Amino acid sequence: MDLMDRTVVRCAEGHVFSTASFPMQHLDAGRLGPGRLIRCPRCARLRHAVPVVLQKG
C-alpha cells in the first residue's frame, strides 16, 4: 500500500468519506482496533471512524 493511498472511512454519525491520512493505519488492527478519531468533513467534529470495506461487482 502506497503511503499516499486514500482510505474510505465511515464516521460514528454514518458519514462516508475518503481521507489521505488514517492515523496508525499501519499498526495491527487486532491489537488497537480498526477505529480512529478523525475529523469528519460532513459534521466538522472529531468522530470515531472505521475503514469501509468496498464490495466489488
Side-chain angles (χ1 to χ4, degrees), residues 8-10 50-56:
V8 177
V9 297
R10 180 184 318 273
V50 295
V52 173
V53 178
L54 299 175
Q55 296 179 0
K56 293 183 180 182

Side-chain angles (χ1 to χ4, degrees), residues 4-45:
M4 296 307 290
D5 283 346
R6 298 189 67 83
T7 303
V8 177
V9 297
R10 180 184 318 273
C11 83
E13 294 295 316
H15 302 132
V16 176
F17 57 96
S18 67
T19 180
S21 64
F22 196 61
M24 298 190 295
Q25 176 173 322
H26 63 283
L27 295 178
D28 182 16
R31 193 181 98 192
L32 295 174
R36 304 287 177 260
L37 279 177
I38 193 166
R39 187 167 305 277
C40 174
R42 296 275 312 275
C43 54
R45 293 188 150 169

